[in-house]
Amino acid sequence: MKNKGLRGVDAGETSICTVGEKSDSLHYRGYDVVDLSENCSFEEVAYLLLYKKLPNKDELRKFKSRLKSKRYIPEQLKEVLERIPKSNNPMDVLRTACSFLGNLESEKNFDNQFDCSERLLAIFPSVLNYWYHFSHSGVRVSIENSSDSIAGHFLSILYGREPNETEEKVMNISLILYAEHEFNASTFAARVCAATLSDIYSCITGAIGTLRGPLHGGANEKAMELISKFDDVESASKAVYKMLENKELIMGFGHAVYKTQDPRNEIIKKWSRTLSEGKSNSKLYFISCEIEKIMKEEKNLFANADFFHASAYHFMSIPTKLFTPIFVCSRISGWTAHIIEQRLDNKLIRPGAKYIGKDPMSFIPLNERS
Ligand SMILES: CC(C)(COP(=O)(O)OP(=O)(O)OC[C@H]1O[C@@H](n2cnc3c(N)ncnc32)[C@H](O)[C@@H]1OP(=O)(O)O)[C@@H](O)C(=O)NCCC(=O)NCCS
C-alpha cells in the first residue's frame, strides 16, 4: 500500500515543530534544537512549547516557581503507587498515575488546560521516583528538595543527594532533546484523542501507552539491553553482523522521517563520551561507536536520539527501566502543546481505510453454517 503507516502524509497543521524540513534538522517553534540544547534550560523550552515564546527572566522565574509548587503527590495517588509491584513496567505506573490523577483533579473545562499541563509536567518526576523507591526498597521517599529545575528535582529524588553539575546539565539537555517531535506516534495519539474534545488526562494516558512500544520510546531501553550484552568491541561487532545477517532490527537506528541523520544524536553522543571518561564501564561508549559504524557501513542507517541516550543514562547511574519514563517527563511538554493547538482549530480526526476484505455476501443463519 502506498503511504503505509501514513508515511509522508500531512495529517494536520502545526506551528510547534518541524522535523527534517529542508535538511535533517529539528526546530521547536522556529528555534534549532542544537541552539536550545546549548543555551537553555528545559523549563525555557517547555515554556516555549506551551506559551509560544521563550520566557523573559521574570516569566521563567514565575514558571519555575509554579512548577515547584505543583510537584506534590496527593495521598490517594501515593496509595495507588504503593500497590504497584516492583516487577511492573514503570510506563504502566505513569499511565495509571496520569489516569488516576484525572479522577482526583479532573479538567473541569478547557480554561484549566494550562494549569493541568503544568501540573503533569511537574508531577511525573515525583510520581516515577516515589514509586521506584517504594517498590524497590520500601522507602516512602521525600519529594521535597531545594532544586528549582525539573532535571535537578528528578535526580535529587532518584539519587537521594544533589546531582553534580554535569549530571544535572546532561539531564537538562536530554529533557530538551526529547521534548517535542511533531506528529510522532504518541503525539498523534494525543491529538486524535484531543480532537474528540476529550479531557487532557485521557489524551496523555493514551500518549503514554503509545510511547511505551519498542518502535517508539522503548528503543532507548532496548539499545541498553543490546550494548550491555557485550564485554568488548570485538564481540559486539561479531554479534551485530550476525544480527544483520538474520535481518534483526537494531534498536536505536533508523527513523521514519530523517533521511541522513538525527540531529539529536551528535548532541547526546558527545555527552555520552564526556560522561564515560574516568568510568570503569566506559567500554559501553566504544561498543556503541562500533555498532554505529557497522550500521552506517552495512545498512546506511544512522543512530537516532535513543541509541547514545542508553550509554549516557547508564553512566549517570539511571536504572534502565526508567529510560522510557524519563522520555514521558520530557515529552509531556510537547504533548500538551499539541493538545492545546488541536483544540484551538479542531476537527474530529477520522481517516478512511482502503477495504481489502471480501465482497458483499448473503447472510447464513446460524443453524446452516458448517
Ligand atoms: C524507526 C523505524 C520504525 C522507522 O521505520 P521506517 O521508516 O518505517 O523504515 P522501515 O521499517 O521501512 O525500514 C526500511 C529498511 O531498513 C531496515 N531497518 C530500519 N531500521 C532498522 C534497524 N533499526 N535495524 C535494522 N534494520 C533496520 C528495515 O528492516 C527495512 O529493510 P528492508 O527494506 O530490507 O525491509 C525503524 O527504523 C525501526 O524500527 N528502528 C528501530 C526502533 C527505533 O530505534 N525506534 C526509535 C525511533 S526514534
Side-chain angles (χ1 to χ4, degrees):
M1 183 195 164
K2 199 173 155 248
N3 299 331
K4 195 171 179 190
L6 298 181
R7 289 296 182 286
V9 174
D10 287 336
E13 293 182 331
T14 184
S15 61
I16 301 172
C17 176
T18 55
V19 175
E21 289 263 304
K22 294 191 184 91
S23 61
D24 275 345
S25 60
L26 170 62
H27 288 78
Y28 299 164
R29 295 206 184 273
Y31 293 102
D32 195 318
V33 75
V34 176
D35 292 334
L36 294 172
S37 67
E38 277 171 9
N39 299 299
C40 277
S41 63
F42 173 57
E43 288 74 14
E44 287 169 82
V45 170
Y47 189 99
L48 170 70
L49 293 170
L50 271 175
Y51 297 105
K52 304 184 184 177
K53 69 183 274 283
L54 283 169
N56 62 30
K57 276 187 186 164
D58 193 43
E59 287 163 338
L60 182 62
R61 186 183 51 75
K62 287 181 180 151
F63 183 54
K64 285 174 100 169
S65 148
R66 287 201 301 279
L67 292 177
K68 199 169 177 192
S69 72
K70 290 175 181 172
R71 287 174 181 169
Y72 68 92
I73 310 176
E75 283 307 313
Q76 293 118 304
L77 178 51
K78 283 187 181 169
E79 283 167 28
V80 169
L81 294 174
E82 288 178 17
R83 283 165 182 259
I84 305 178
K86 173 184 174 177
S87 56
N88 278 38
N89 183 329
M91 288 296 279
D92 299 345
V93 175
L94 289 183
R95 191 192 60 213
T96 296
C98 180
S99 182
F100 190 70
L101 195 69
N103 285 279
L104 300 178
E105 305 174 6
S106 64
E107 187 187 25
K108 302 269 183 308
N109 59 58
F110 293 170
D111 293 344
N112 293 337
Q113 61 186 352
F114 287 98
D115 259 357
C116 294
S117 301
E118 290 183 1
R119 175 70 165 132
L120 287 169
L121 184 59
I123 199 175
F124 279 149
S126 308
V127 161
L128 181 62
N129 283 292
Y130 185 88
W131 169 79
Y132 182 76
H133 284 291
F134 187 83
S135 61
H136 286 66
S137 48
V139 176
R140 291 189 170 91
V141 76
S142 165
I143 53 149
E144 298 294 321
N145 54 66
S146 59
S147 175
D148 71 345
S149 76
I150 290 174
H153 173 60
F154 185 100
L155 293 176
S156 297
I157 326 174
L158 179 65
Y159 295 158
R161 61 162 170 86
E162 276 184 30
N164 66 36
E165 209 180 306
T166 310
E167 290 164 340
E168 185 164 343
K169 187 174 177 62
V170 179
M171 179 55 100
N172 190 59
I173 289 169
S174 167
L175 292 172
I176 291 174
L177 297 181
Y178 274 140
E180 166 54 14
H181 222 223
E182 199 222 41
F183 276 32
N184 60 89
S186 56
T187 301
F188 193 59
R191 285 191 81 129
V192 169
C193 186
T196 70
L197 301 184
S198 188
D199 70 296
I200 202 163
Y201 295 94
S202 300
C203 300
I204 299 300
T205 303
I208 296 171
T210 311
L211 186 70
R212 184 187 191 283
L215 293 189
H216 192 6
N220 53 16
E221 292 181 19
K222 294 287 171 197
M224 186 64 216
E225 270 173 36
L226 176 71
I227 60 175
S228 56
K229 276 187 202 159
F230 308 120
D231 291 329
D232 50 46
V233 168
E234 289 71 33
S235 57
S237 168
K238 244 189 185 155
V240 169
Y241 278 117
K242 190 93 203 134
M243 287 173 80
L244 291 179
E245 230 176 87
N246 296 338
K247 301 229 167 298
E248 285 179 56
L249 273 184
I250 312 287
M251 294 303 176
F253 286 88
H255 200 272
V257 182
Y258 297 125
K259 296 290 168 253
T260 55
Q261 61 140 2
D262 181 334
R264 301 166 297 180
N265 177 52
E266 274 311 306
I267 303 169
I268 196 63
K269 181 180 174 184
K270 188 187 99 186
W271 282 104
S272 172
R273 186 189 174 107
T274 304
L275 288 164
S276 76
E277 284 159 10
K279 288 272 182 344
S280 56
N281 52 1
S282 61
K283 67 177 184 200
L284 286 180
Y285 173 76
F286 298 104
I287 286 171
S288 302
C289 290
E290 176 69 9
I291 298 176
E292 187 187 32
K293 188 173 121 253
I294 296 172
M295 290 301 282
K296 187 75 201 156
E297 286 169 0
E298 295 296 311
K299 300 283 293 183
N300 198 24
L301 284 171
F302 52 86
N304 58 46
D306 291 315
F307 192 63
F308 279 92
H309 256 105
S311 49
Y313 283 167
H314 185 75
F315 296 137
M316 287 167 71
S317 309
I318 297 175
T320 304
K321 59 161 64 171
L322 301 189
F323 290 6
T324 313
I326 293 174
F327 198 152
V328 173
C329 296
S330 160
R331 186 58 60 87
I332 181 67
S333 56
W335 288 335
T336 49
H338 276 274
I339 292 164
I340 292 166
E341 184 177 65
Q342 181 67 37
R343 288 170 171 179
L344 270 175
D345 182 24
N346 191 50
K347 176 94 175 162
L348 184 75
I349 298 172
R350 201 304 190 187
K354 184 178 177 216
Y355 181 66
I356 54 164
K358 291 180 176 165
D359 287 338
M361 294 182 286
S362 308
F363 177 75
I364 307 168
L366 180 59
N367 58 9
E368 290 174 24
R369 286 176 218 157
S370 55

